[in-house]
Each structure stands twice: as C-alpha cells, then as structure tokens.
Amino acid sequence: MKLIVGLGNPGTEYAWTRHNAGWLIVDSFVSRLSLAEPQMKFKGAFWGPVMFDGSIKISLLKPYTFMNLSGAAVIEAVRYQNLDPADVLVVFDDAALPFGRVRMRESGSAGGQKGMMSILGALQTLDVPRLRIGVGAPPGVRPDMADWVLGRIPQTQRSQWGKLEDIAWEALSLWLKYDIQKAMSKINGLKIEDENKA
C-alpha cells in the first residue's frame, strides 16, 4: 500500500492559489483514475484503497486541517493503514522552483514549507518522499511569501497547468510502479516544455 498526500487549504477562497498546488495535482490524479467521491476520513478527503495499474494498492488524501496542521491528518492515515513513511509521498507547492518545474526528493528538511514541516514532525522522520511543484518566486527584494503563496495562479499559468499535471502524473506513476530513485532520475530537471520527454 502506498499513500499520496496533496497539501492545500480548504475553502473556496483558496481555490487555484499557489499553496493549493498539491490539492490540484491530487484532484488531477483522482480524475485520471476515474475515482468516485472521497470519504471524509483522516481529517480530510480520502480515496482508497484502490488499485493502480491493476496490481498496486494505493490511497490518496487531501487534508482539510489547513496547511500548518497537515501532519495531524497524515499520521492518522499512516497509523490506520500501517504504512512506513517511505510509502507516503507528499505533493506540495515550492516557490524556490520556477513555475513549470517539478522535483522529487526521497528525504530531507521541509525547506520552509509548513505543511511538510508538520508532516515530518508528526512522522518523526525526514525520510518522507515528496514531489515539489514549482510555483515560482515573487518579484521584489523582500517579498511577502505568505501573500505570494496564497495568491491565485495567474491565468497565463493556469492555461499551462495541464502540462504540469502530465509531468506530475508521470512522476507519481513511476514512484508507484518502481521506486523513488527511478522517478527522480526521469523527472527531476524537467519543465513543462519538456513533458513529451518524460
């Protein structure tokens, strides 16, 4: 069993904000698998267990705890399903990456992302795979990062979002079917113009 977690904030006011990139990717994954409506479970929207590629049992979670408390939802799901942290992959926004880039990591710090920080604290390990979705950095010398990540993705970028979803689908599929190393070697460094090479 593997668990994919998408980070975001509940509420219509957060729809299509940069900070909800993880939710958007999970929504896309759910749509491509033609899954039914989620259960309200583990403090969020939960799908699973379902079969991926005919033989891989997976579940998906969108915590409704608000970003900073995401760990409370994830630890419930992990304990209930008796998962190792290495079997959990977290998808979240990253302003350190330009828009259109994604990057997978096997472990490491949260890099200032408070949802990931909450999850690492709850699971008490840095060894949690993650897929970072580039949303770009704000202009200016002293940007207000909170305002930036809670700002809406501009229409010019939304029109390209489907290409970003294609890369994320490939990344998650490789992780599910093979392992994080295989996914990292193929995905890291790609940007949306290169998705046909994935």
Side-chain angles (χ1 to χ4, degrees):
M1 169 74 84
K2 291 189 175 182
L3 171 65
I4 296 171
V5 179
L7 299 189
N9 287 309
T12 55
E13 67 269 34
Y14 297 107
W16 278 104
T17 58
R18 296 179 179 89
H19 227 18
N20 275 33
W23 272 27
L24 292 169
I25 295 302
V26 165
D27 285 341
S28 169
F29 205 83
V30 165
S31 177
R32 293 180 189 221
L33 293 178
S34 300
L35 300 184
E37 290 297 307
Q39 305 172 62
M40 292 301 106
K41 198 171 182 179
F42 309 125
K43 297 182 172 66
F46 180 77
W47 294 263
V50 298
M51 300 307 292
F52 176 81
D53 201 38
S55 60
I56 305 165
K57 190 181 291 188
I58 71 167
S59 56
L60 302 104
L61 174 66
K62 288 168 49 178
Y64 283 176
T65 54
F66 286 94
M67 183 69 74
N68 295 3
L69 299 175
S70 299
V74 173
I75 191 67
E76 281 191 13
V78 165
R79 286 174 175 166
Y80 183 84
Q81 298 176 101
N82 195 29
L83 298 175
D84 290 328
D87 292 325
V88 180
L89 189 143
V90 185
V91 187
F92 58 89
D93 62 289
D94 192 337
L97 289 175
F99 174 80
R101 289 191 180 272
V102 302
R103 191 158 187 86
M104 299 191 85
R105 289 187 67 189
E106 186 172 9
S107 63
S109 72
Q113 217 282 354
K114 293 183 178 178
M116 191 64 187
M117 195 179 303
S118 174
I119 292 169
L120 296 178
L123 297 180
Q124 297 186 339
T125 180
L126 298 180
D127 298 328
V128 181
R130 72 287 309 263
L131 176 63
R132 297 153 52 203
I133 306 298
V135 295
V141 179
R142 294 185 178 178
D144 186 325
M145 289 303 297
D147 286 347
W148 176 256
V149 296
L150 292 176
R152 293 189 184 276
I153 298 168
Q155 190 59 47
T156 53
Q157 294 180 351
R158 285 178 63 174
S159 66
Q160 302 179 74
W161 192 263
K163 297 178 181 179
L164 196 52
E165 289 176 351
D166 290 342
I167 295 180
W169 168 266
E170 181 74 4
L172 294 171
S173 298
L174 287 168
W175 177 70
L176 291 169
K177 291 191 283 188
Y178 302 103
D179 55 39
I180 189 72
Q181 295 298 329
K182 175 81 170 178
M184 288 167 57
S185 68
K186 200 162 187 183
I187 296 301
N188 286 352
L190 286 181
K191 51 187 178 180
I192 55 177
E193 300 96 297
D194 303 328
E195 85 282 356
N196 59 337
K197 301 177 184 177

